[in-house]
Amino acid sequence: MVARFGPGTRLAHWSLAVPFVLLLLTGLTNYWPELKAIHVGGARLFGWLHVLLGFGMLGIVAALLVTVLPRKAVRGDARQLAEVGLDDYLWLQHQGLRLAGESSNPPPVRKFNAGQKLNALASLVVTAGLLGTGVVLGVNYVSKEVFSVGLVEPLFRWHTRLALVFVPVLLGHVYLALLHPSTRESLRGMTRGVVRREWARRHHGAWEAALEREPGARR
Amino acid sequence: MDRTKAVTRARFLTLIGGGALLGYGGARVWGRAIKGWRYNTVEKPVPNFDPEEYRLVVDGMVERPLTLTYSELRALPAIRQVSDFHCVEGWGVDDVQWDGVRLQTIIDLVRPTSTAKYVTFHSLGDLYRDSLSMQQARLPDALVAYDMDGEPLRVDHGLPLRLVMPRMFGYKGPKWLTRIEFVDDQDTGYWEARGWRMDAFINA
C-alpha cells in the first residue's frame, strides 16, 4: 500500500461533495412538480432546504480555506492538480487512441492524470459559479425587494446551466470511482487514504516511481 | 489490418452519428430547461374545459352581471399584447404574445357599483383564486387572454382563459379562469395565504 491522500484533502473532498450532491438533488426537484409542491408549515420544503444548504456550503468553503487549505499536503495536492505537462498530453492521446479502437499503452503519469485535472478544474469553476450566483438567488428567495428581475433571471439561467452541464461530469466521476473495473480501486485513496502499489504503478507510473525513490515524499 | 481499419471506421461513424443525435436532443432539452416555461399548478388533475359547457361568469357588485360562452368571449373586442412573463421563483419567459380582452372592456360591460373595491378571479378547479384592486384591474395592460403565441392556450397554460398582469409576478394570473367577482373586501388568494405578497408588482 502507498499513501495517496492525507486527512486534509479527504476532509475537503467529502465536506464539499456531500453538500454538493444534496444541493444538486434538492435543486433538481425544480423539474419534478410533485416534489416541488411539498410544503411544510407553509414553506416549500426542497426550496428552503436548497437555500439553507447553499448558505451552509458557503460557510464550509470559508472554513476549509482557513483550516485545511494551509496544510502542506493539501497545498501539494492542489499544486499538482494545476501542473500541466507532457504526461497530460500523452495521457489524452492514449485515451483518444483507445476511443478510436486502437491499441495503446498508458503513459507513466504523475499523481493526477489529465482527466482528473479536468474534473478538478470543472468542479472548481462550477462550484464557484454556483455559489456566486446562488448567493443572489438565495437572498432573492427570502426577499424580492433586494434585486431586480433583470439581474435575477439571467443569474437563474446561469445557475441552471452550470448545474445541468455538471451532471454528466459528476456521473462520470461517480461511475469511475464506484463501478469502472480498472479505476474503482482509486476510491480507497479518498476514503482510507491508501492505494495498492500495483495500481499506483499502472495508473500513475511517474508518481509511483517518485515514491519508490523517495519513500515518505508525497510526490 | 484491413479488418481493424473497417471496425475503426464503423466505430468512428457510430460516434459521429450518435454524437449528432445526442447533440440535437440535448440542445432541445437544454433550451426548454433554461429558457422555457416551467409548469406549475396546484390544481390536480388539471381542470377539464368543454367549449360547449364552459361559461365565464362576471358577477358580484355590478349593475349588469354577465355570463359568456366561449364563443361570446372570443367575440368581444380583443387586443394583442407582447410582454415578458416573470415567475416569482426567479425564471421568466421573454416576448410572450397574448390575445384577449382588456379587463377594462369587461368592467365597462358589467358596470361595477361604487361599493366594489376589489376583483376576485376564480379558477375552474375551485381551488386557486387571486385578486386585484379595482385600480390594478383598470390598468391598460391588464388582460384576460385566450390565445398564447397565436394559438389557443395549451391546457397546462390555462385553457380556456387566464389573467395576464405583465407587471406582476405570474402567480397573480390565475389559469382556467371561470369567474370574475367584484367585491368590497380583498380576497386572500391561494399563494397569498402561503406568504406571498398581495401586491406583486415586479422590482424591475
Side-chain angles (χ1 to χ4, degrees), chain B residues 117-174:
Chain B
K117 296 281 182 282
Y118 299 95
V119 194
T120 309
F121 298 86
H122 299 260
S123 211
L124 263 175
D126 213 21
L127 173 65
Y128 197 91
R129 291 195 311 275
D130 214 296
S131 62
L132 296 175
S133 70
M134 278 300 291
Q135 197 189 355
Q136 292 165 351
R138 288 181 188 282
L139 287 171
D141 56 1
L143 193 72
V144 285
Y146 38 70
D147 285 357
M148 184 181 121
D149 294 330
E151 285 170 32
L153 287 168
R154 282 197 350 234
V155 172
D156 52 6
H157 283 297
L159 182 76
L161 192 67
R162 75 179 294 171
L163 178 64
V164 176
M165 293 296 289
R167 281 178 277 169
M168 292 186 177
F169 285 120
Y171 70 89
K172 293 300 280 192

Side-chain angles (χ1 to χ4, degrees), chain A residues 54-88:
Chain A
F55 283 115
M57 189 163 171
L58 268 186
I60 292 173
V61 169
L64 288 175
L65 287 177
V66 177
T67 60
V68 173
L69 190 64
R71 294 173 75 113
K72 202 176 162 200
V74 177
R75 274 187 290 126
D77 282 338
R79 196 172 54 243
Q80 287 171 86
L81 273 172
E83 273 174 9
V84 177
L86 180 64
D87 57 339
D88 296 313

Side-chain angles (χ1 to χ4, degrees), chain B residues 22-34:
Chain B
L22 267 177
Y24 175 73
R28 292 201 59 163
V29 173
W30 182 252
R32 268 188 74 84
I34 304 294

Side-chain angles (χ1 to χ4, degrees), chain A residues 152-198:
Chain A
V152 168
E153 286 182 3
L155 290 185
F156 193 100
R157 286 178 191 143
W158 275 108
H159 197 78
T160 311
R161 285 187 186 106
L162 284 170
L164 292 185
V165 88
F166 196 67
V167 168
V169 180
L170 185 62
L171 288 179
H173 182 66
V174 171
Y175 166 75
L176 291 172
L178 296 180
L179 297 174
H180 192 68
S182 85
T183 57
R184 65 182 183 202
E185 259 197 77
S186 63
L187 178 65
R188 201 169 357 176
M190 202 45 96
T191 54
R192 283 184 258 167
V194 291
V195 289
R196 279 191 313 125
R197 185 171 285 279
E198 188 46 42

Side-chain angles (χ1 to χ4, degrees), chain A residues 48 51 55 133-143 147:
Chain A
W48 275 106
V51 171
F55 283 115
T133 53
V135 170
V136 174
L137 298 177
V139 170
N140 187 67
Y141 199 80
V142 179
S143 166
F147 301 110

